[in-house]
Amino acid sequence: MNKRAFAVACHPDDIEFLMAGTLLLLGQAGYELHYMNVANGSAGSVSMGSAEIARVRTEEARESTKILDATFHEPITDDLTVFHTPELIAKLTAVMREVSPTILLLPSPQDYMEDHMNTSRLGVTAAFSRNIPNYKSDPPVAAVMGEMAVYHGQPAGLCDQLRNFIQPDFFVNVTDVTEKKRDALACHRSQKEWLDATQGMDSYLKTMENLSLKMGQASGCFQHAEGWRRHDHLGFSASPNFDPLCDALGSLVKQS
């Protein structure tokens, strides 16, 4: 079994908000870590043009991966062009085959923003396509075999687009890595201006901490937590009980 964990989210800073604590813990458990934002952040500024902010946000993400000790993979499209298209599926499948993870961390299928939901769907399709030899990726990469478990994180704001709370299958205790998670998120300096201007957030770092505190409270036993749901095993592993994330993190996991 490859001990590789791959976090795939939509925009630079999405991983740091909702996934990075679990990713750090998997690194401590001996997993090789990989990091990818599907979109390049090209719409995330009120003061810079799209090309400039995409460059800035890519560099911020690279800086974050150094803190996370993860391998960085380049984005494949612009903001608000994330759709479930053959072109993007082929590109993401190529990366999925190159990484060949055992654990895949994806956004929630339900979220306030379609870019996030579309990334979730793209990730599932690319993961499903990884071991189909007759499916041609872009660029061409040979199909890979092996089991994979797919996990979906919490949506931004912890609710779906109709304001319903999304209940995780399980919680991961990220209390001991929250400071490092905060340091990784702090690399995305350009986003404080954007979020303050467009969404009324007083502090993006405090927002992240409040989300993890809410998850910790929902767990009933952890101070800071991240919530996860496990995708159905069909197409990804032979057993419905294949659960490498929970196996790796052990007592740091609490089932709902």
Side-chain angles (χ1 to χ4, degrees):
M1 185 178 75
N2 292 330
K3 293 191 72 173
R4 297 193 194 104
F6 190 16
V8 178
C10 187
H11 309 105
D13 78 14
D14 287 349
I15 289 172
E16 289 80 356
F17 262 107
L18 295 162
M19 303 181 182
T22 300
L23 197 65
L24 285 164
L25 292 171
L26 287 170
Q28 292 178 4
Y31 274 76
E32 177 183 307
L33 306 183
H34 292 259
Y35 171 116
M36 182 179 181
N37 303 302
V38 169
N40 58 18
S42 60
S45 178
V46 293
S47 60
M48 288 182 268
S50 59
E52 182 181 5
I53 188 58
R55 178 189 61 77
V56 168
R57 297 197 70 188
T58 297
E59 288 307 309
E60 290 172 344
R62 286 184 182 277
E63 185 180 346
S64 173
T65 59
K66 293 177 182 178
I67 293 174
L68 299 173
D69 195 21
T71 299
F72 176 83
H73 297 271
E74 295 283 348
I76 56 176
T77 194
D78 292 336
D79 288 3
L80 298 174
T81 65
V82 181
F83 297 103
H84 195 254
T85 62
E87 294 78 13
L88 289 185
I89 293 167
K91 288 180 179 180
L92 188 53
T93 298
V95 183
M96 200 71 65
R97 289 173 172 177
E98 290 171 354
V99 176
S100 187
T102 302
I103 294 173
L104 177 62
L105 307 180
L106 292 177
S108 169
Q110 303 86 20
D111 195 284
Y112 83 99
M113 187 176 186
E114 289 191 358
D115 268 9
H116 297 172
M117 295 188 289
N118 291 340
T119 296
S120 180
R121 189 179 177 197
L122 278 169
V124 170
T125 304
F128 189 89
S129 303
R130 78 197 186 284
N131 59 7
I132 302 175
N134 287 340
Y135 179 75
K136 306 304 180 185
S137 65
D138 178 21
V141 178
V144 295
M145 303 300 166
E147 291 188 299
M148 175 193 294
V150 180
Y151 302 86
H152 296 279
Q154 288 294 98
L158 310 180
C159 295
D160 66 14
Q161 59 270 53
L162 298 178
R163 298 176 289 109
N164 300 302
F165 176 72
I166 296 296
Q167 179 64 43
D169 291 341
F170 63 91
F171 301 88
V172 173
N173 182 2
V174 299
T175 305
D176 289 347
V177 294
T178 293
E179 183 175 351
K180 196 168 187 180
K181 177 180 174 179
R182 188 183 190 278
D183 290 343
L185 180 58
C187 293
H188 298 273
R189 291 171 290 275
S190 67
Q191 289 313 281
K192 179 176 180 358
E193 175 193 0
W194 167 253
L195 293 173
D196 286 354
T198 62
Q199 299 183 31
M201 292 187 177
D202 180 57
S203 168
Y204 72 128
L205 298 174
K206 190 63 178 176
T207 298
M208 180 276 289
E209 292 174 353
N210 287 340
L211 288 173
S212 67
L213 284 169
K214 286 181 180 178
M215 280 289 93
Q217 184 177 26
S219 76
C221 59
F222 302 142
Q223 181 182 7
H224 289 272
E226 292 176 351
W228 295 95
R229 292 180 289 168
R230 183 158 58 96
H231 199 92
D232 189 87
H233 75 289
L234 294 174
F236 303 102
S237 65
S239 169
N241 298 317
F242 184 64
D243 191 2
L245 191 158
C246 291
D247 290 344
L249 299 188
S251 62
L252 294 172
V253 172
K254 180 180 183 292
Q255 301 295 326
S256 293

